[in-house]
Amino acid sequence: MSETMIASSEQSLNPERERRQKLELNKLQKRLRREVGQAIADFSMIEAGDKVMCCLSGGKDSYAMLDILLNLQKSAPVSFELIAVNLDQKQPGFPEEVLPAYLESMGIEYHIIEKDTYSIVKEKVPEGKTTCGLCSRLRRGILYNFAEEHGVTKIALGHHRDDLLETLFLNMFYGGKLKSMPPVLHSDDGRNTVIRPLAFSREKDIARYAALREFPIIPCNLCGSQENLQRQVIKDMFQSWDKQHPGRLETMFRAMCNVEPSHLADTNLYDFREGRRLGGKRQAVHTAEPEEASSFGRLDVLNI
């Protein structure tokens, strides 16, 4: 077959490929809309008058979360405000222009917080050790304080169903606790409320949606560059299960939503002498100032 005939054949297939991708995108968007809407309703995540801060990292999950929330906002039965916030951690080679350009094209209010946590993490964490713990604590403290200062009522994070399951197994295997990331978490002092609108959504659906929407993904040079992370081991195990035993992850997540305290062994959840449920232990959001806060210098926030 001549090169001309091959080129002609490829051109004729392009419209069909585009049609199929459009159908797939519409199907995925409807599924994600339905799942996010269900999570919001089931856990009372967003209420009338809320100011929701979408924490945008530049990864597929936070892009998808913001995209779906903007979509839902147009037809929601209650009025709420959305703002996007990114913490620029001054990682080497970080493309600072990508997120502002994208968010301006979306027409949403956004804030870029500039804070060199990258240098702090690299200085404090020995080579070869996991950076995620310190990095997340520093990031969390900065974002939570920013939320309080700007009248934010809900902090939206892009954790999905697979993140919740992975955290459950990490805590069981390495922490000796039966706990995960809750869809909604309130701080005891009332400062912060964290929500996870993607709690019902599968990572593989989000990944495909992000690819079809062509989000400008920004890789992380800290956690994304580390090998043999415990979470990655769990993730690999889940991917193997998903291929060999379809439906297993869905069943596991249903189990997280269908807990029977009387058939576990936590005396803080169930009074085995009296045979009745108890309130249990309540975990608060961490709202303390970031460690080594004085070493950060001045907080520069660009309000665009």
Side-chain angles (χ1 to χ4, degrees):
M1 185 180 293
S2 68
E3 292 183 1
T4 303
M5 293 177 65
I6 292 174
S8 177
S9 176
E10 289 178 349
Q11 289 177 359
S12 65
L13 289 175
N14 282 338
E16 176 62 19
R17 184 184 298 114
E18 291 176 0
R19 186 186 70 84
R20 291 180 180 178
Q21 288 184 346
K22 186 176 181 180
L23 288 174
E24 184 182 5
L25 176 61
N26 289 338
K27 182 178 179 180
L28 276 174
Q29 187 179 63
K30 288 180 181 178
R31 178 184 299 168
L32 291 172
R33 272 178 52 100
R34 181 177 67 253
E35 290 169 347
V36 171
Q38 189 65 50
I40 290 174
D42 285 0
F43 301 106
S44 302
M45 290 185 180
I46 299 177
E47 301 168 302
D50 269 338
K51 183 174 184 178
V52 181
M53 182 177 94
C54 294
C55 297
L56 202 64
S57 66
K60 67 182 190 313
D61 305 326
S62 57
Y63 272 125
M65 176 186 68
L66 176 63
D67 189 80
I68 296 299
L69 285 178
L70 284 170
N71 193 285
L72 286 172
Q73 186 186 36
K74 298 174 183 177
S75 57
V78 298
S79 176
F80 62 93
E81 183 180 352
L82 283 174
I83 65 170
V85 174
N86 167 255
L87 175 58
D88 180 355
Q89 298 177 271
K90 297 305 174 183
Q91 297 179 18
F94 183 81
E96 297 179 357
E97 73 285 350
V98 171
L99 279 171
Y102 173 77
L103 293 168
E104 285 179 8
S105 71
M106 298 296 290
I108 182 175
E109 176 190 344
Y110 69 93
H111 304 262
I112 308 295
I113 307 174
E114 297 188 356
K115 205 62 132 171
D116 188 5
T117 62
Y118 181 88
S119 296
I120 300 295
V121 172
K122 297 300 286 185
E123 176 187 345
K124 299 293 184 182
V125 180
E127 192 68 29
K129 295 294 184 179
T130 301
T131 60
C132 296
L134 177 58
C135 182
S136 64
R137 288 200 302 274
L138 297 175
R139 185 171 62 247
R140 185 167 57 226
I142 294 168
L143 290 172
Y144 288 1
N145 289 336
F146 177 88
E148 184 183 25
E149 292 166 2
H150 289 77
V152 169
T153 57
K154 303 289 173 62
I155 302 171
L157 304 181
H159 298 123
H160 44 67
R161 185 204 69 177
D162 297 59
D163 286 325
L164 271 61
L165 283 171
E166 290 163 13
T167 303
L168 175 69
F169 274 68
L170 282 169
N171 279 314
M172 285 195 297
F173 290 173
Y174 304 107
K177 294 182 179 180
L178 191 62
K179 73 172 187 176
S180 179
M181 299 175 176
V184 176
L185 192 56
H186 304 283
S187 64
D188 284 338
D189 59 12
R191 291 180 65 203
N192 308 113
T193 297
V194 173
I195 63 174
R196 296 182 169 96
L198 297 176
F200 289 162
S201 301
R202 303 183 300 181
E203 182 176 20
K204 59 185 178 182
D205 289 339
I206 295 170
R208 182 55 181 161
Y209 183 73
L212 291 170
R213 289 283 282 120
E214 298 182 339
F215 295 136
I217 305 298
I218 302 174
C220 175
N221 294 330
L222 274 175
C223 56
S225 62
Q226 298 177 92
E227 298 179 356
N228 300 321
L229 291 178
Q230 294 171 339
R231 183 173 290 274
Q232 186 60 48
V233 173
I234 300 295
K235 187 183 292 289
D236 292 342
M237 181 180 72
F238 282 1
Q239 290 177 350
S240 176
W241 284 355
D242 200 30
K243 291 179 181 178
Q244 298 177 17
H245 308 282
R248 174 175 287 185
L249 298 185
E250 284 74 13
T251 302
M252 288 163 49
F253 186 72
R254 285 201 302 273
M256 284 182 59
C257 303
N258 188 24
V259 177
E260 182 48 68
S262 65
H263 285 58
L264 295 175
D266 190 338
T267 56
N268 290 286
L269 289 177
Y270 195 81
D271 185 339
F272 291 91
R273 181 185 297 274
E274 299 294 334
R276 60 186 179 86
R277 296 189 184 194
L278 303 174
K281 291 173 284 190
R282 188 160 179 260
Q283 176 65 45
V285 177
H286 297 285
T287 57
E289 290 288 336
E291 294 184 5
E292 304 293 337
S294 59
S295 65
F296 285 99
R298 188 171 65 87
L299 175 62
D300 294 318
V301 181
L302 305 182
N303 298 313
I304 310 287

